[in-house]
Amino acid sequence: SKRWSHVQKGPEDPILGVTVAFNKDTSPSKINLGVGAYRDDNNKPYVLEAVKKAEKKIFEANVDHEYAPIVGVASFNNAAAVLALGEDNSYIKEKKITTVQTISGTGALRVAAEFFGRFLPGVTAYVPNPTWGNHNVIFADSKVPVKSYSYYNPSNCGLNFEGMIKDIQAAPAGSIILLHACAHNPTGVDPTHEQWKKISQVCKEKEHFVLFDFAYQGFASGSPEEDAYAVRLFVEDGHLIGLCQSFAKNFGLYGERIGAFSLLANSAEEAAVLESQLKILIRPMYSNPPVYGARVVSSILSNKELTQQWRSEVKLMADRIIDMRTSLVKYLKQHGSTKDWSHITNQIGMFCFTGLTPEQVDRLASEFHVYLTRNGRISIAGITSKNVEYLAKAIHSVTK
Ligand SMILES: Cc1ncc(COP(=O)(O)O)c(CN[C@@H](CCC(=O)O)C(=O)O)c1O
């Protein structure tokens, strides 16, 4: 039959497609700097000890496999909100917040976007330029108009703060402003504390709705509290924020698809109304979320020792990333590069926006078997003490 003959073959995803190309490469010196997934110094995925201990407890508890509620595992939802907002947050204490478990961070963003499409009709979402590629598509597929605000300054590989403020001020009052809470993807450039205060003030003046994408808590600086600085500042300043959380990177639970979406409200009654509509939205989308990842995260965060173990491990991951940044710059200099690579160590989190052109990126793949996204973003986690010198030589070769 000709039923599907009109369907066109689509392109690979710009990020996940890099792994497809990497897997096809047979060179022993190939390096994958594409997908933002942590690897240890042996380039292996890292299963946290805290996760292994939690899994043992879950196994020994002989749990069943019944459905979770539409909103997910309650103990996880509460733990996720407490981790982001803090133990003594008044919205949590007064139940002026609704949190639903989602299919990881992507699912949190999609549920949020679908909710805005229904209840903020015609309101435009503003995302940073550049941002995680999926942001634009998630809003577009949810029928939420999406535009960009200036964010990155290519001339110094830093923040275009003036441009960001100007664009946020120029957006129609009450727009949706998406902010990366920490470890901006793809640039690795975060506002300073002072700049966050100004951004908060401008969003308040314009009565914008602020949606935080919080995909790397603990992973950026090594401190979950430091990484929550912007989120907690905005709540302090009175913003009733939306919050999308991913537990993929900071708990190493990528494939378990564990995330959360929270909305702060004026009252417990309003929070309950919002939750009722979130349930109506989720039910026909995926009905209810998978329980395993929620059980692992809530087992860890409800246990002092496991939480302490997690904190030390997320700091270990963050510190290794920071070490690789320093090491890459050292070898670039050692191998004769005279360019300014200070942005590699100034930037924070999983990614570095190198400034490499698409043509230089193509050469790294074809001549040196080094794979990264064409916008010049590298996932630092793909760098190890064994391949960092080879990488530095390759980057120097294509940039000299
Ligand atoms: C800012 C941001 N938000 C949300 C997500 C969604 O992560 P979940 O796995 O759905 O929780 C990512 C993951 N971005 C990484 C991982 C690969 C991908 O999904 O693109 C990346 O950009 O490489 C992200 O970087």
Side-chain angles (χ1 to χ4, degrees):
S1 90
K2 292 214 173 299
R3 178 170 289 112
W4 304 120
S5 58
H6 62 292
V7 178
Q8 303 286 313
K9 181 165 172 37
E12 285 287 356
D13 177 84
I15 294 172
L16 303 179
V18 171
T19 299
V20 173
F22 170 80
N23 290 339
K24 286 180 187 151
D25 189 318
T26 55
S27 162
S29 52
K30 67 180 181 179
I31 303 177
N32 186 3
L33 305 177
V35 69
Y38 183 79
R39 301 285 177 259
D40 65 16
D41 196 46
N42 296 313
N43 230 332
K44 294 279 180 281
Y46 178 62
V47 179
L48 281 70
E49 282 308 313
V51 167
K52 288 179 184 168
K53 288 176 181 167
E55 290 188 287
K56 189 165 177 293
K57 285 161 89 78
I58 293 162
F59 177 72
E60 288 164 355
N62 290 316
V63 292
D64 60 40
H65 298 281
E66 293 305 291
Y67 284 131
I70 296 172
V71 297
V73 176
S75 58
F76 162 76
N77 291 350
N78 183 55
V82 167
L83 183 66
L85 302 179
E87 293 279 353
D88 52 2
N89 177 271
S90 61
Y91 288 89
I92 296 175
K93 287 188 187 316
E94 294 162 34
K95 301 193 184 320
K96 299 194 292 186
I97 180 173
T98 178
T99 302
V100 293
Q101 183 188 330
T102 58
I103 314 291
S104 216
T106 304
L109 288 155
R110 186 60 186 259
V111 164
E114 293 286 342
F115 190 81
F116 304 149
R118 287 187 185 189
F119 298 104
L120 297 177
V123 176
T124 298
Y126 286 78
V127 300
N129 176 22
T131 194
W132 180 48
N134 228 8
H135 281 150
N136 290 286
V137 188
I138 288 168
F139 284 115
D141 281 2
S142 304
K143 311 280 184 284
V144 175
V146 52
K147 289 185 180 167
S148 290
Y149 59 81
S150 305
Y151 189 83
Y152 181 68
N153 179 351
S155 61
N156 64 2
C157 298
L159 183 67
N160 175 3
F161 182 62
E162 293 65 34
M164 177 182 186
I165 293 296
K166 183 168 150 288
D167 291 351
I168 290 176
Q169 277 172 331
S175 295
I176 300 160
I177 307 293
L178 180 129
L179 297 169
H180 295 231
C182 70
H184 182 269
N185 175 3
T187 68
V189 173
D190 285 355
T192 63
H193 286 192
E194 283 318 300
Q195 289 171 333
W196 275 126
K197 287 173 187 166
K198 176 71 178 162
I199 297 162
S200 173
Q201 179 202 336
V202 169
C203 288
K204 207 89 188 324
E205 285 160 4
K206 296 288 298 199
E207 295 183 319
H208 288 329
F209 172 77
V210 173
L211 178 69
F212 275 106
D213 184 354
F214 204 7
Y216 297 93
Q217 184 172 11
F219 196 93
S221 69
S223 155
E225 284 65 35
E226 173 53 34
D227 289 351
Y229 173 80
V231 169
R232 296 182 186 185
L233 169 75
F234 276 61
V235 173
E236 270 301 302
D237 287 352
H239 293 274
L240 296 182
I241 64 169
L243 177 67
C244 297
Q245 291 173 275
S246 167
F247 291 81
K249 295 86 175 178
N250 53 3
F251 281 73
L253 291 171
Y254 303 89
E256 299 303 343
R257 312 306 296 137
I258 179 67
F261 172 55
S262 295
L263 276 173
L264 269 56
N266 289 303
S267 66
E269 293 72 27
E270 186 178 74
V273 165
L274 295 174
E275 180 165 302
S276 71
Q277 289 297 342
L278 283 166
K279 286 169 68 176
I280 289 167
L281 188 156
I282 289 169
R283 171 67 170 145
M285 196 188 285
Y286 54 82
S287 186
N288 48 83
V291 295
Y292 192 72
R295 286 173 172 162
V296 171
V297 172
S298 57
S299 293
I300 292 171
L301 294 178
S302 62
N303 176 299
K304 272 203 178 340
E305 293 74 55
L306 290 184
T307 300
Q308 208 39 55
Q309 169 98 40
W310 168 70
R311 285 176 174 276
S312 65
E313 291 184 280
V314 77
K315 184 169 180 348
L316 177 142
M317 291 192 283
D319 288 349
R320 192 183 88 73
I321 297 270
I322 293 162
D323 289 349
M324 287 301 106
R325 290 177 182 275
T326 310
S327 190
L328 179 57
V329 172
K330 182 187 83 175
Y331 281 113
L332 279 163
K333 284 182 185 144
Q334 222 172 67
H335 286 281
S337 182
T338 54
K339 293 172 77 77
D340 174 8
W341 294 106
S342 56
H343 55 290
I344 293 179
T345 43
N346 293 340
Q347 292 170 359
I348 184 169
M350 183 81 87
F351 306 108
C352 164
F353 221 37
T354 59
L356 290 173
T357 64
E359 295 68 32
Q360 291 168 334
V361 170
D362 293 343
R363 284 190 57 199
L364 280 177
S366 58
E367 296 172 35
F368 298 94
H369 312 284
V370 173
Y371 293 84
L372 59 148
T373 44
R374 289 201 89 221
N375 58 6
R377 181 195 90 166
I378 60 173
S379 174
I380 302 285
I383 306 175
T384 70
S385 57
K386 292 101 175 168
N387 68 21
V388 60
E389 187 165 3
Y390 173 86
L391 175 62
K393 282 191 278 188
I395 291 175
H396 177 43
S397 303
V398 302
T399 54
K400 63 188 175 194

